[in-house]
Amino acid sequence: MKKWLHTWGVTAGAVLLILASFVAGWMAPGGSAYNVLMITAAVFAGYPVAAGAIRALTAKVASIELLVTIAAVGALILGNYWEAAAVTFLFAFGGALENLTLARTRSALDTLVDAAPDTAVVLRDGKQQTIDTYDVVIGDHVLVKPGAPVPVDGIVEHGTGAVTEAMITGESTPASKQNGDSVYAGTVLASGVLTVRVTGVGKSTTLARIVTRVEEAQDAKLPAARFIDRFSRWYTPAVVIVAAIAWILTGNPTLALTFLVIACPGALVIAIPVSVVAGTGRGARDGVLIKGGQYLELAAKVDTVAFDKTGTLTVGVPSVVAIESEDPARTVMLAAVAEAGSEHPLAQPILAAAQQAGFTQDLPSKVDPVPGEGIIAGAEDLTVGVGNHALVARMGVEIPSNLDGAAASFESRGATPVFVVADDMVMGVIGIADAERPEAREALAALRSRGIKTVMLTGDVNGVARTVAGQLGIDDYRAGLLPEDKLEAVSALQRGGHIVAMVGDGVNDAPALATADVGVAMGSAGTAVAVDTADIALMSDNLNRLPEAFKLARRTVRTMRVNVALAIAVVLLLLVGVLLGGVTMAIGMLVHELSILAVIGNSMLLLRPVRNVAREHRAQAAGHGGNDATFGGSLPSDANVDEARLGLRRVGDIQERVNVQ
C-alpha cells in the first residue's frame, strides 16, 4: 500500500510541477521560472528512478531504470528540460499504472485471502464464545450459523446445511452437508446450522494451502522468463554501448539519448510474469490449482490424457449388481468372510452386500493377498479364494462353463466379475460395477474436440475396460495394470513423442502421476498430499474442470506469445521511427508505457471466467449415448445402480432368498 501511494504521489507531484512550468512560461515568456520548474519536475520524478538504478548497480545489475536515468541526465545537460521532465514523469506514471493493474491481476489471490473470517463461534463449557480464529484449537467444536463463513476446516458432527464451496472448488451450486461430511475454511453456509469438529486452523486449512500454492506458482519463473531475465542483464549495457557508438558516429547526443529511451524493454520483461499471475489466479478462482508457470506451459502442449478408471472416470463407489450361483447366499457369505481381511477396493461392495443381507461379520482364520489376482483366506475350515481368472487358475480349479459365460456377460456389460472358490469348487461369480461420473462423457468429448487423445489405464479386467472405454468414447485403454504397469504405460506414450497428462486421485496412482509430463489430481479439497504434490490439482470431483484447465493453459501461453511479440514490435517500430526522424524521447517513453499497459491489459483478459467447454460439446457427447443407459448397454449412471434394469439376477432378489434361508 505504501509503495502504491508513493508512486502515485510522485506522479501527481511531477504533473503539478510540469503544469506550473507551462503556466509560468505562458505568463512570463523567456523567463527562468519555466526552466526551474521543469528541472524541478524532472528531478522530482527522476529521483526514485535514479535511486532504483543505483540499487540495481550495487547488486551488479544494469536495470531499465539505468537507461532512463542516463537519458534524463543527458537531456538536462543538453538543456532539453521538457524532454527530461516528460521522460521521468511518463516512467513514473507508467510505473504507478503498472502497480495498479498488477494488483488487479492478483485479485484472485486477495479474494482467497479475504475469504477466511477473523473470528469463530466456539462451544466451550456449554456456552457460545466468539474468539479469534487463530485461538481455535484442533478438536474444538465451532458453531456455524446461516449466512456465515466457515472459519476452520472440520467434520460436521451435528446439523445439516447447504454450503457454498465456490471459493475452494469453483462449484457455484451449494453442497449438502450432514454428519460426517467435511467443510472448509472460507466456504459459506447458505442455509442450516452446523456444529463442526475442528481438524484444521490457520495455515493448516485447505484455503491456506491453496493460497500458498498460488503464491508459489505466481512467483515461479518459466524457462522463457528466466531467459528474459538473463537477456536483460546483458541487454542494458549493450544498449548503452550502442548509444555511445551512435553519438560518436553521428555527433548527435540527442539521437543517442533517444535511442536509450526507445530501447527500454519494459513490456518484454513483464510479458510473461504478468500472464502467469493472471492465469494461475483465474485457475485458483475456478478451483484449479496450478503448481507453476512451467506446468501451464506444459499443459498447453498436452496431446494425450491418461485416466485412472475407478474414482476418476467413475464415482468410485462400486456395488454388487449381480450374482450367478447355485447358492448365492453362501457365495456372498464366504466371499464376505474372505474379503474382511482385504483392503482391495472391490472388497467393500461385497462386505456391504453381505451386511445388507443380514450376515454377521466373521473374520477369516488366515489371509493371503495375491496382488493383481485377489485374496485367499480361511473360512469355516475351507480355503476360500475371491478374485479373477488368474486366482482361480492359481488354485488349480476349473471354472464351470455356465459361470465362465456369466463372467463374460458381466464384463460385456461393464461389471467386474469376481469368482468365489471354496476348496476345489467355484461357488459362483459376483458382478461388481461402479457408476460413471455424470459429466464424464461430455468432458471427454470436449478433450477430443481439441485434438487431445484419451487413454484409460485400469487394473480391471480387459472385458470391463473395453466396455467402459467404448461407452465413454475413450480412444484407447490398457487393462489389468498394476501401479508400476501404469507408470510404464505413461512412459511408453512419452517415448512415442506424446506430451502426457495423467489424471488420478493423487495417491494410488502416484508413480504414474509423477512420471507424466503433467500430473493431475482430482477431488483434492482437503487432501494435503494432492494439493502439495500434484502439478495441477482439481479441487472438486467435477471432471469438466479438466478441459477447462487445458483451455486456460492454452489461453495463457497464447497471451504470453502475443505479449512478447507486441513488446518486440514496439521496440522495432520506435527504432525505425528514430532512424527516419520524428520520434523524440518523450514520444518514445509514451509509446513504451502504452505498450506496457497493453501487455498488462491483454493479460488481464485471462481473469475472465473460462467458459464450460464441456457444455459446448454436450450435443456431440449426447451422440455417444445418454447418461441414463441401462446395464445392458453401458455403465450404470447412478451410484446406487438401478438393479431392476440389469437384465440379470438382481441383488434384491438374492437378498430376499438369503433372508428366507
Side-chain angles (χ1 to χ4, degrees):
M1 185 66 178
K2 289 182 178 180
K3 181 179 179 181
W4 184 85
L5 288 174
H6 175 72
T7 54
W8 280 106
V10 169
T11 302
V15 75
L16 289 175
L17 287 168
I18 291 173
L19 290 175
S21 177
F22 282 126
V23 171
W26 175 73
M27 294 181 65
S32 60
Y34 171 86
N35 291 335
V36 171
L37 288 171
M38 198 65 78
I39 292 172
T40 304
V43 173
F44 185 78
Y47 174 77
V49 180
I54 293 171
R55 285 194 299 270
L57 285 173
T58 57
K60 299 181 179 180
V61 174
S63 63
I64 298 173
E65 285 86 352
L66 180 62
L67 298 180
V68 177
T69 301
I70 294 174
V73 171
L76 289 174
I77 293 173
L78 295 175
N80 297 329
Y81 304 135
W82 155 242
E83 296 284 358
V87 166
T88 53
F89 159 70
L90 287 170
F91 192 80
F93 182 57
L97 287 177
E98 182 180 333
N99 290 336
L100 180 64
T101 49
L102 279 173
R104 174 70 179 88
T105 62
R106 290 186 180 270
S107 62
L109 184 59
D110 295 335
T111 302
L112 289 173
V113 173
D114 294 340
D118 296 326
T119 60
V121 179
V122 297
L123 300 175
R124 292 177 178 173
D125 300 324
K127 298 179 180 179
Q128 298 183 24
Q129 300 180 26
T130 301
I131 63 174
D132 187 272
T133 303
Y134 286 93
D135 290 331
V136 178
V137 297
I138 305 299
D140 268 345
H141 287 80
V142 170
L143 182 67
V144 186
K145 301 177 181 180
V150 180
V152 295
D153 281 6
I155 306 296
V156 176
E157 290 203 341
H158 182 71
T160 59
V163 178
T164 302
E165 297 183 328
M167 194 60 63
I168 300 294
T169 66
E171 302 294 332
S172 58
T173 304
S176 177
K177 299 294 181 179
Q178 56 188 355
N179 290 0
D181 289 339
S182 297
V183 293
Y184 311 108
T187 59
V188 178
L189 182 61
S191 62
V193 178
L194 300 177
T195 300
V196 176
R197 176 172 53 83
V198 179
T199 60
V201 181
K203 294 182 179 180
S204 66
T205 63
T206 298
L207 180 65
R209 290 197 298 271
I210 292 174
V211 171
T212 300
R213 163 62 73 84
V214 176
E215 286 178 334
E216 292 172 349
Q218 293 183 345
D219 290 339
K221 290 184 180 292
L222 275 75
R226 290 194 292 269
F227 169 77
I228 289 177
D229 285 346
R230 293 193 300 270
F231 165 78
S232 64
R233 293 180 182 179
W234 294 98
Y235 178 81
T236 299
V239 167
V240 173
I241 293 172
V242 171
I245 293 174
W247 184 2
I248 294 171
L249 293 178
T250 64
N252 186 347
T254 301
L255 175 66
L257 295 176
T258 304
F259 178 78
L260 289 178
V261 171
I262 68 159
C264 289
L268 183 62
V269 170
I270 69 167
I272 293 176
V274 72
S275 300
V276 172
V277 169
T280 53
R282 178 69 256 174
R285 188 175 293 178
D286 291 337
V288 178
L289 297 189
I290 303 168
K291 196 171 187 177
Q294 67 269 37
Y295 297 106
L296 268 173
E297 195 170 34
L298 279 172
K301 299 177 182 177
V302 164
D303 58 26
T304 303
V305 179
F307 292 90
D308 173 45
K309 179 176 78 70
T310 304
T312 302
L313 295 173
T314 64
V315 296
V317 187
S319 59
V320 173
V321 295
I323 300 176
E324 186 68 32
S325 173
E326 291 297 324
D327 190 350
R330 185 163 174 76
T331 299
V332 171
M333 182 199 67
L334 291 176
V337 173
E339 294 289 10
S342 172
E343 295 183 354
H344 194 277
L346 295 184
Q348 190 56 45
I350 293 175
L351 293 172
Q355 184 179 12
Q356 190 173 354
F359 287 125
T360 301
Q361 186 66 65
D362 294 325
L363 295 176
S365 57
K366 61 178 181 178
V367 176
D368 183 16
V370 184
E373 296 181 10
I375 191 169
I376 298 174
E380 295 186 353
D381 298 325
L382 298 173
T383 299
V384 177
V386 182
N388 56 22
H389 283 86
L391 183 75
V392 178
R394 177 185 293 273
M395 298 181 71
V397 179
E398 184 177 349
I399 301 175
S401 59
N402 66 312
L403 295 182
D404 205 23
S409 179
F410 291 174
E411 289 184 11
S412 69
R413 291 164 172 80
T416 302
V418 178
F419 293 98
V420 181
V421 180
D423 283 345
D424 58 352
M425 181 179 69
V426 179
M427 293 283 296
V429 59
I430 301 174
I432 299 176
D434 189 5
E436 70 179 61
R437 289 187 180 277
E439 76 282 2
R441 299 188 190 197
E442 60 182 16
L444 291 166
L447 291 174
R448 288 194 303 273
S449 71
R450 280 162 173 72
I452 297 177
K453 178 182 178 181
T454 55
V455 180
M456 183 176 69
L457 307 179
T458 177
D460 220 329
V461 295
N462 188 73
V464 173
R466 181 175 59 250
T467 299
V468 173
Q471 297 299 334
L472 294 179
I474 294 174
D475 298 317
D476 196 6
Y477 70 91
R478 308 282 191 278
L481 303 182
L482 298 173
E484 55 268 28
D485 298 325
K486 292 183 180 181
L487 183 155
E488 175 55 32
V490 170
S491 298
L493 289 169
Q494 291 172 320
R495 289 194 296 270
H498 296 287
I499 305 297
V500 183
M502 174 69 193
V503 185
D505 60 12
V507 180
N508 296 335
D509 300 302
L513 286 166
T515 301
D517 297 289
V518 180
V520 182
M522 275 194 61
S524 300
T527 307
V529 173
V531 173
D532 293 339
T533 62
D535 301 327
I536 297 178
L538 307 181
M539 301 307 292
S540 74
D541 282 322
N542 188 345
L543 202 57
N544 282 334
R545 293 296 181 197
L546 185 64
E548 291 172 14
F550 288 136
K551 181 177 181 179
L552 175 62
R554 292 184 178 185
R555 282 179 58 197
T556 303
V557 170
R558 185 166 59 247
T559 299
M560 292 177 192
R561 291 171 178 168
V562 170
N563 287 348
V564 170
L566 175 63
I568 293 174
V570 166
V571 172
L572 293 177
L573 288 174
L574 286 175
L575 178 60
V576 172
V578 170
L579 295 177
L580 296 178
V583 174
T584 64
M585 280 188 286
I587 292 175
M589 182 56 66
L590 176 61
V591 173
H592 264 301
E593 296 306 332
L594 291 175
S595 70
I596 288 175
L597 293 180
V599 163
I600 296 175
N602 185 43
S603 300
M604 288 179 67
L605 294 177
L606 291 169
L607 295 176
R608 295 181 303 176
V610 178
R611 288 184 298 172
N612 189 325
V613 294
R615 190 175 298 123
E616 295 172 2
H617 304 279
R618 185 165 292 164
Q620 296 94 313
H624 294 284
N627 282 336
D628 293 329
T630 66
F631 186 55
S634 80
L635 275 172
S637 61
D638 188 272
N640 296 320
V641 185
D642 186 355
E643 291 94 0
R645 299 181 297 164
L646 297 182
L648 296 167
R649 186 171 299 172
R650 297 176 297 159
V651 173
D653 296 335
I654 295 166
Q655 290 166 347
E656 289 178 9
R657 292 174 57 187
V658 169
N659 291 331
V660 169
Q661 295 175 10

